[in-house]
Amino acid sequence: MTFIARLGLASLLAAALTTALQAQSPTPTQANVPYGKHARQVLDFYQTKSAKEAGKPTPLMFFVHGGGWMNGDKANPDFLAKCLESGISVVSINYRLIPNAIEEKIDPPVKACLDDAARALQFVRSKAGEWNIDKTRIVGCGGSAGGFTTLWLAYHPDLADPKSADPIARESTRLLCAITFVPQTSLDPKQMRDWISNNEYGNHAFALPSYQAFLDKRETLMPWIEKFSPYLLATADDPPVYLFYDSVPAMGQPAKDPPHSANFGAGLVEKLKSVGAPYEFNYTGAKDVKHPDIFGFFLEHLK
């Protein structure tokens, strides 16, 4: 067989494998449901068949994709098949990214990403009757910047406005619990550098051209940093969170992958200990983790 023929056969096999994988992946019950007017303000809803057949409201996993708030998509949320098999419905959201927010002159741009997640969660709760969802059993999940956003939802005071004329705005933004993968946990440039000496992540959230500009504007930005940083928002009455990192904490040391360093988790854990907020911290080499099977964390809190 010639090289060209082998290449053609390889391409056909790859295409067949992709098609097979796509066929195995669950498809949304409802796709690209708008929760706002922007093209990125859409979500996918996957309804678990077992809960629907049981005739009672289902718990739901609310998934926020990663990508540094700069890219990413709602396709293929984590734990999708496992949730559906376990009687848990799933919502996966898109949201306005930082370039979209800059186009819309939203200041600071990251506000659009976080506000969209909160609005999407309220929208989902407003659909509880139609989608057979138990409003009291919504769990969060996300990785990297999606993990940050999930922690922000978990720790931020409820954004529900009971006096609003908008019924969606009257819905809660609270989560029952959350699982996050390699999340950032602060947007304070000084704190991030104290934790991770070579960190250069975060200035883009405020549309700043460099990390030095971020440090220089820190005091001016502190009111926003306090509103956004999970570290600064966490209190004793917040829901349990699971923090997973694929590295070993080494506070104050440079990291191989600074934006996803386990130091972000270790820094947050110190705050959670001080306020008495519940958490699990799993990282490479961690011992005595209650739920080494991460999905078990969801199942326990949904009982």
Side-chain angles (χ1 to χ4, degrees):
M1 184 182 291
T2 66
F3 173 76
I4 296 297
R6 290 199 302 271
L7 186 61
L9 179 59
S11 298
L12 287 171
L13 290 172
L17 179 59
T18 300
T19 301
L21 290 173
Q22 288 174 342
Q24 293 172 11
S25 180
T27 56
T29 308
Q30 295 190 40
N32 296 315
V33 179
Y35 63 87
K37 295 181 179 179
H38 193 277
R40 290 276 312 176
Q41 291 174 316
V42 293
L43 57 83
D44 291 341
F45 170 59
Y46 303 80
Q47 188 170 51
T48 174
K49 291 181 180 179
S50 59
K52 186 177 180 181
E53 290 165 359
K56 59 184 180 181
T58 170
L60 179 128
M61 183 188 77
F62 184 83
F63 183 79
V64 186
H65 72 75
W69 301 307
M70 296 293 289
N71 51 57
D73 187 78
K74 58 184 168 52
N76 303 314
D78 290 342
F79 300 127
L80 175 57
K82 216 168 181 67
C83 280
L84 298 179
E85 292 165 3
S86 303
I88 303 167
S89 293
V90 175
V91 158
S92 184
I93 71 166
N94 276 352
Y95 49 88
R96 287 172 296 175
L97 302 170
I98 284 173
N100 304 132
I102 292 172
E103 289 173 4
E104 295 184 5
K105 296 182 169 52
I106 296 171
D107 184 31
V110 71
K111 184 177 185 298
C113 312
L114 303 177
D115 284 350
D116 280 5
R119 178 69 177 185
L121 181 53
Q122 290 175 308
F123 175 83
V124 169
R125 277 199 164 97
S126 77
K127 290 286 189 179
E130 181 182 340
W131 290 355
N132 202 36
I133 295 166
D134 183 347
K135 290 185 183 184
T136 67
R137 301 168 74 204
I138 296 181
V139 299
C141 184
S144 191
F148 181 109
T149 301
T150 302
L151 290 174
W152 179 81
L153 288 170
Y155 293 146
H156 198 285
D158 199 337
L159 290 165
D161 180 1
K163 296 181 180 179
S164 176
D166 176 7
I168 295 175
R170 297 197 292 265
E171 297 287 351
S172 174
T173 57
R174 297 294 277 171
L175 296 171
L176 179 66
C177 66
I179 290 176
T180 59
F181 297 93
V182 297
Q184 302 82 36
T185 59
S186 173
L187 274 179
D188 179 345
K190 182 179 182 302
Q191 183 176 58
M192 290 190 283
R193 273 284 174 85
D194 288 344
W195 289 349
I196 308 159
S197 62
N198 62 337
N199 181 67
E200 295 285 341
Y201 179 90
N203 53 287
H204 69 300
F206 298 91
L208 295 172
S210 68
Y211 204 83
Q212 187 57 52
F214 195 11
L215 289 167
D216 292 343
K217 289 198 68 173
R218 177 179 180 269
E219 293 307 314
T220 303
L221 293 172
M222 276 310 296
W224 287 117
I225 291 168
E226 290 170 356
K227 290 178 184 292
F228 298 153
S229 295
Y231 177 93
L232 293 170
L233 291 169
T235 55
D237 60 348
D238 287 326
V241 301
Y242 193 108
L243 306 164
F244 177 85
Y245 294 86
D246 55 0
S247 59
V248 181
M251 295 302 283
Q253 300 301 309
K256 184 177 180 180
D257 181 10
H260 304 118
S261 168
N263 292 1
F264 275 115
L268 177 61
V269 163
E270 289 306 308
K271 172 67 177 292
L272 300 181
K273 287 179 179 177
S274 72
V275 300
Y279 70 90
E280 287 189 46
F281 183 30
N282 191 357
Y283 55 87
T284 301
K287 297 179 180 178
D288 302 320
V289 177
K290 184 178 179 182
H291 294 99
D293 174 10
I294 300 172
F295 191 70
F297 177 84
F298 272 165
L299 296 180
E300 177 173 316
H301 290 285
L302 285 171
K303 284 181 180 178

